[in-house]
Amino acid sequence: MRGPGSGRSWLERVHWFGGCLIRVTAAGIGGLFLLACLLEVRPVAGPLDLWLIALAAVVGLAALVRRRAAVWTAAAVGLSAYTTVLMGVTGAEMHQPSMFIEICGLLVLTLRVVWRTRSERLVAATVAVLVTIVTLAFRLSPREGLVLSAPLAVLAAAPVGLGIYLRALDARRARALRDARRDERLELARDLHDFVAHHITGIVVQAQAARFAAQSGAVQTPEQIDAAFAGIERAGTEALTSMRRIVGLLRDAQNGGPAAPRDEGGGEESSARPVGDLARVEELVAAFTDPPAKLTVDPGLGGLPPEIATSVHRIVQEALTNIRKHAADATEVEVGITRAADGVEVSVRDDGQGRGRRLPSSGFGLVGLAERVEALGGRMRAGRRPEGGWEVVAVLPVG
């Protein structure tokens, strides 16, 4: 997949279709088996036989459905446990093969419970399903229950282990996504810190120039004085805006956990980081020759605030990197930087179909970019184009 927004890609559609096919196949096999059980006991079918077949159907259906899974799971486990207790109290014994479907369904429900249940309910829900599975053997007879309960417990350990593994995978991916967003926010906060220093330096320089002019006795016109104060006001306003963004970004990053060290060697990170601007964007696009890239810049774009120009550079850089990794069959790339009604729009589009080389990727580059854009008050989308190819479009507010 190419990144966020690719959830509707062909790979996701294949996964969805494959999941539906597996469910339909399992439902068909289970339905045929229960039908055979019903035909076998049809001449002398009693209420208990019919109930056990219906119970197996409910448990199997609960294992296959996706909507209201918690309700279906609770109903299936409750009915199964109730049946076991009722048969133990009444002394009834069963010789109904439909219990195999019930066992398979409960094993699937065990996997789902361990994998998806919230942490505060995980232990109680898992124990309830495991006890229900282990006690199924006592429906046959007390002696057979004692013999078969141990194998059932060992069998139930498999979905528990698989569920824990899948739960760990989900937690690791969620942590990686959170770290990517946090790192991008901290990177933007560091950039904004540099911009604040730049603005404050401009204020100091202009104030010093005004003082020097006053001390030297040079006559300044009202227009010159107004221009000097206007420059100081503008720089101060931009510094305050950047400061507010820094505070918000650092607060969000702190809530997401401590920042990971940027220097693997243990030394201090250099404060001299390359800051992108439109000139660097032109150099970046000019150096991208496989496939050839074309840059279009709106003539009326004008000057951009430093944090916006840096973000434009980061968006173009990440989008071109993704094209190089995942769209080797692309023949052209179009990069556009234009004025929009509510800011500046950055777009990177290619005509590739995702064939050819597929280099390894963390998958979180666009996630970090989206976090940066949202932190600046903008919006970004990435996905397939209706006419084919891929596009990354971001709108950043300027004002």
Side-chain angles (χ1 to χ4, degrees), residues 177-362:
L177 283 169
R178 185 171 60 252
D179 290 345
R181 294 190 177 101
R182 181 202 59 199
D183 291 345
E184 189 65 34
R185 282 177 170 264
L186 291 177
E187 182 68 23
L188 179 56
R190 282 187 286 268
D191 289 340
L192 289 173
H193 173 271
D194 293 344
F195 302 147
V196 170
H198 170 76
H199 296 321
I200 294 178
T201 301
I203 294 173
V204 172
V205 169
Q206 293 182 73
Q208 289 175 341
R211 288 191 61 194
F212 176 79
Q215 292 173 359
S216 64
V219 179
Q220 291 183 304
T221 64
E223 290 77 11
Q224 291 175 327
I225 297 176
D226 182 72
F229 281 116
I232 293 175
E233 179 185 11
R234 181 171 57 254
T237 301
E238 293 176 352
L240 287 175
T241 301
S242 297
M243 283 294 295
R244 283 195 296 268
R245 287 172 174 166
I246 288 177
V247 172
L249 291 171
L250 292 179
R251 181 183 294 115
D252 290 342
Q254 183 179 11
N255 293 338
R262 304 285 297 191
D263 187 359
E264 297 293 340
E268 291 185 3
E269 180 188 0
S270 172
S271 60
R273 300 183 312 280
V275 177
D277 53 19
L278 294 185
R280 288 183 177 270
V281 172
E282 294 177 359
E283 296 174 1
L284 191 65
V285 175
F288 196 86
T289 57
D290 183 23
K294 180 179 65 175
L295 174 64
T296 303
V297 180
D298 192 340
L301 188 62
L304 298 177
E307 61 267 28
I308 300 299
T310 300
S311 298
V312 169
H313 178 270
R314 283 280 292 112
I315 293 168
V316 174
Q317 183 182 51
E318 181 64 28
L320 292 180
T321 300
N322 277 350
I323 292 173
R324 182 165 287 155
K325 287 181 177 180
H326 305 300
D329 59 331
T331 60
E332 62 177 358
V333 179
E334 297 180 356
V335 181
I337 306 174
T338 59
R339 274 286 181 183
D342 50 354
V344 58
E345 179 180 289
V346 187
S347 62
V348 181
R349 298 181 172 92
D350 66 75
D351 59 352
Q353 302 301 318
R355 295 188 292 267
R357 61 176 176 269
R358 298 193 62 83
L359 302 181
S361 173
S362 66

Side-chain angles (χ1 to χ4, degrees), residues 74-100:
V77 173
L79 290 175
S80 180
Y82 170 77
T83 302
T84 301
V85 172
L86 185 63
M87 293 181 65
V89 172
T90 59
E93 296 182 0
M94 65 162 286
H95 300 281
Q96 178 57 255
S98 63
M99 190 175 68
F100 290 108

Side-chain angles (χ1 to χ4, degrees), residues 25 29 41 51 63 211 217:
T25 303
I29 294 175
V41 300
W51 169 253
R211 288 191 61 194

